[in-house]
Amino acid sequence: MLALAMVASLAACSSSSSSSSDTTAAETEAATTAAEDGSEEATEAADETEAADSTASDGELITVGFAQVGHESDWRTASTQSCQDVFCEENGYELVFVDCDQDSAAQLDAVRNFIEQDVDYIIIDPIVSTGWDTVLTECEEAGIPVIVIDRTIDDSDNYTAWVGSDFTAEGYAAGEWLNAYAEAKGIEISGILVIEGTTGSSTQLGRTEGFEEIAENYGWTILDSQDGDFTEAGGQEVMESYCQSYSGQFNVVVCQNDNEAFGAMTAMDAAGISYGVDGDVILISFDACTAGLEYVQAGSINADFECNPLAAPFVAEIIEALEAGEEVESTVYMTEHWYVAEEDVLTTITVNGEEQELTYVTDEIIEEQY
Ligand code: GZL
């Protein structure tokens, strides 16, 4: 079967507005299906792929297949843009980009399509942390190095390197900040509601594990913890349900990403529940995307625990080292900050005995954020 991945041929890396033909896994599948029917779309896609293959075969460009989680959040958009900015023709790359639309089966298909196309490297941001061993073995047998970014793969270590964040540490930091903040403000924590990220993602697993461990240490009550799928709609839906079920029982909401927090704010506004620095509910978020930090600066979100999406430059360094026959680090952690809305309440927290800085959000920080 002719396996097709539509080539996301990218404009120069110069601007974030570089156009690219984003391809969802569904479109790739459609093109593959169409290929069997010999339809026009398939011919077009085949021409694009052939063109890319012929260019890559000149040995001028390094072809990188990137199976991205989806397009569910501001964080994901920044992650995708970072890869498109780095892995472009100007920098010596041809990027074959597939948006897997939060569909794990489609993500495995995308990786197998990359093997069929015999790309030089494969980047995976795994939607969920298990189900990877077989396809990673296929990559190894094809002689294609795999670099994992962001989320982790927990049922195989058959890949060259991982670049990302410590999600459990993020959960610990959120819990310790909440304890120190409540003490400093004289707030008695009555009940906590959590809106989790995509179930089974290492992000959801880590942030949940870290925060729940701290909650248990301090004897807090987590009233409920449901999946908001890292989307604004998901956050709003779960928060609407919480406002119905737990009215008057909670004064902390923890959202495992900013887009869920945006949805939760909409739901609490509709329910007449105040939140943030001057509100009845402490609102905690993760990611610290630009829009999230704007809400922190406005006092709507009390604290936002950053997860840095800009892994691509570190991946490019790994690929360049591999191209030069050098050894590479198997694990690279991103640098992150814990952002707060109030400059004069806390400046540090202690997490597992280590003092960690808190960062007050300024216009300059927002200007620089992703
Ligand atoms: C985090 C990343 C998560 C973000 C969400 O590493 O995988 O997925 O926290 C995104 O915004 O959807």
Side-chain angles (χ1 to χ4, degrees):
M1 181 182 81
L2 174 63
L4 291 176
M6 317 253 270
V7 175
S9 51
L10 304 172
C13 306
S14 51
S15 79
S16 58
S17 58
S18 62
S19 63
S20 69
S21 55
D22 286 358
T23 307
T24 66
E27 286 164 341
T28 305
E29 196 174 324
T32 305
T33 307
E36 290 165 329
D37 311 332
S39 72
E40 198 174 307
E41 290 80 10
T43 309
E44 199 175 288
D47 288 348
E48 279 181 353
T49 303
E50 195 181 317
D53 284 351
S54 67
T55 307
S57 65
D58 293 345
E60 282 171 18
L61 299 177
I62 296 172
T63 306
V64 175
F66 176 26
Q68 174 62 295
V69 165
H71 50 274
E72 73 286 357
S73 64
D74 291 24
W75 190 100
R76 190 63 53 200
T77 302
S79 163
T80 294
Q81 190 62 57
S82 174
C83 281
Q84 291 177 342
D85 289 348
V86 170
F87 298 113
C88 64
E89 192 165 339
E90 189 179 283
N91 292 343
Y93 294 96
E94 177 72 60
L95 180 64
V96 183
F97 175 79
V98 177
D99 170 341
C100 299
D101 204 14
Q102 303 228 95
D103 177 338
S104 301
Q107 189 166 48
L108 295 174
D109 288 346
V111 174
R112 290 192 165 101
N113 277 326
F114 293 152
I115 295 172
E116 288 283 308
Q117 295 175 71
D118 193 24
V119 299
D120 298 311
Y121 294 89
I122 293 173
I123 300 174
I124 301 170
D125 188 334
I127 296 166
V128 291
S129 57
T130 54
W132 287 99
D133 195 42
T134 303
V135 77
L136 290 178
T137 302
E138 292 167 22
C139 293
E140 182 186 42
E141 286 164 356
I144 303 175
V146 173
I147 297 163
V148 180
I149 65 169
D150 177 30
R151 299 181 187 177
T152 58
I153 287 176
D154 298 342
D155 66 347
S156 171
D157 56 8
N158 195 0
Y159 50 85
T160 302
W162 170 82
V163 181
S165 303
D166 183 339
F167 306 118
T168 307
E170 293 169 4
Y172 287 144
E176 291 296 0
W177 172 85
L178 176 58
N179 179 62
Y181 182 77
E183 274 184 11
K185 301 279 272 192
I187 295 170
E188 181 71 30
I189 294 172
S190 59
I192 299 171
L193 290 167
V194 179
I195 302 178
E196 295 183 6
T198 306
T199 300
S201 66
S202 59
T203 313
Q204 172 268 324
L205 296 168
R207 288 175 186 162
T208 301
E209 178 195 349
F211 185 80
E212 286 188 352
E213 188 174 313
I214 303 298
E216 191 176 339
N217 291 349
Y218 291 114
W220 298 333
T221 302
I222 296 180
L223 298 163
D224 209 335
S225 195
Q226 293 180 24
D227 181 357
D229 214 17
F230 286 133
T231 65
E232 184 166 346
Q236 181 174 341
E237 186 181 337
V238 170
M239 195 67 230
E240 283 167 353
S241 160
Y242 283 167
C243 291
Q244 294 290 324
S245 309
Y246 300 102
S247 175
Q249 299 174 52
F250 66 95
N251 62 351
V252 177
V253 171
V254 181
C255 296
Q256 289 191 349
N257 86 327
D258 287 329
N259 295 80
E260 289 176 345
F262 305 159
M265 288 191 271
T266 302
M268 287 192 279
D269 288 342
I273 296 172
S274 63
Y275 48 84
V277 168
D278 301 320
D280 295 334
V281 171
I282 295 169
L283 181 56
I284 294 170
S285 186
F286 293 84
D287 281 356
C289 68
T290 301
L293 292 186
E294 287 168 343
Y295 278 114
V296 173
Q297 189 181 51
S300 301
I301 294 176
N302 297 76
D304 203 342
F305 296 84
E306 185 179 34
C307 181
N308 189 329
L310 309 181
F314 299 94
V315 175
E317 281 178 25
I318 291 169
I319 289 176
E320 281 149 33
L322 293 171
E323 288 288 298
E326 295 165 4
E327 292 290 308
V328 296
E329 288 294 322
S330 61
T331 303
V332 177
Y333 280 102
M334 306 292 289
T335 307
E336 295 165 342
H337 303 83
W338 312 146
Y339 292 104
V340 294
E342 296 154 278
E343 193 170 20
D344 54 355
V345 177
L346 294 171
T347 55
T348 63
I349 52 172
T350 302
V351 182
N352 294 327
E354 178 204 343
E355 189 166 70
Q356 297 181 2
E357 291 285 312
L358 298 173
T359 303
Y360 173 66
V361 176
T362 62
D363 291 342
E364 293 70 30
I365 286 173
I366 289 174
E367 184 60 35
E368 288 298 306
Q369 200 60 336
Y370 51 82

